[in-house]
Amino acid sequence: MEIKTAKRLEHFKTGIFTALNEKRDELAAKGGKVYNFFVGTPDFPVFPHIKQAFLDAAKDPENYHYSLHDLPEMLEAVKDYYFERFGVEISTDEITSVNGSQEGIAHIGMALCDPGDVVLLPDPGYPVFEVGGYLSGAELYFYDLKEENDFLPKLDEIPEEVALKAKYMMVSYPYNPVCAVAPPEFYDELIAFAKKYNIIIIHDNAYSDIIYDGVYGGSFLEHEGAKDVGVEFFSLSKSFNMTGLRVSFVIGNKKIVDALKLLRSQYDFGMFIPTQKAAVAALRGPKKMVKEQCAMYQARKDALVNGLRSIGWDIRDTQGTMFAWAALPKGYTDSNAFCMELMEKTGVVCTPGSAFGKMGEGYVRFALVLPPEEIEKACRAIDESGILKK
Ligand SMILES: Cc1ncc(COP(=O)(O)O)c(C=O)c1O
């Protein structure tokens, strides 16, 4: 029998990642030194109190049933955290869990869009933003994020006929991959734009705790009117090194939260209870570790940005996220080809910017997942390879 899968899948391409991974494995098999700046998973361990809460809960056989709902104690923990951390007052019915922001963002469009609707997405884009828009069947409109505009959208450049048809707009700061933050005025402008055109704002907040040089990492919901127009995805993955546990929240406008809850109730039976208990431990536990970890990321960021600048690769400073976003060195224009050449000549593996959309071409992304000493060695390898002297 011939198995025919859905045409929908033809949209999803993995080409360059497969090629880069194969090349990296080939290099490693030959005993070559590999500096892996490719992965987007923190190398730091989960904090011990979070692991303990998970393990304790996992001992109880009762906790292996379908959970069906978010535990009240977890919703209360999110509510208290948002007040203590961001000064934002929310009620527990304005929160729902998702199995990671990845899952939630992929599905939220299906709860919001009808055929003919438009979804506004950033370019460069974190890939699941596009997937969410695509799966919802909406038309995708990409707004450009340019370095000359500090990677902020020019809202007045979005054509009025597009804005009028737009159902929701994805926004995220500090933003992976461009590593920029947004000033408070930007959110005021965004909320006014949303109200003018009746566009839902979905803010992806994965990196408010990984932010540099003393800048405050906040929440979209701190801004006046935010809850009227949208929701925020708030992930525990990166702040607490819980990427594998899959826990994130959608917080804000109750109508949007309820729509997502209804949709999710059709395909999910609730989050594993030990995961919910671990989330409570993270949200209620000491915050000192989060700050100490941010300082470690800062040391890595400084090592990479200063290291590359010192060898003649003048990259933009990273303002937030666990990444750096570097314009290609002089003489290069194709990010895929550059990544391949860089890996062959130096063992340094990074992600081509084109993987994030057309506006990503001309850039590469480095993940800050190696200690500063390794980063310094990688910079030396780049310098000695002569690749910057083209
Ligand atoms: C911008 C952004 N949003 C969302 C996610 C996914 O987070 P989660 O682990 O909560 O699915 C990531 C993970 O790298 C990310 O970089």
Side-chain angles (χ1 to χ4, degrees), residues 7 10 16 31 86 125 166 172 198 221 227-228 290 296 327 366 375 378:
K7 285 205 179 55
E10 289 164 15
I16 181 64
F86 303 121
S172 176
N198 213 22
L221 297 174
K227 224 180 357 181
D228 298 335
V290 178
M296 290 192 264
F366 289 89
I375 294 177

Side-chain angles (χ1 to χ4, degrees), residues 40 100-102 105 126 172 176 204 206-207 235 237-238 246 248:
S101 293
Q102 192 82 1
I105 293 169
Y126 179 67
S172 176
N176 166 25
D204 179 23
Y207 295 104
S235 174
S237 288
K238 305 294 165 73
R246 313 309 300 129
S248 175

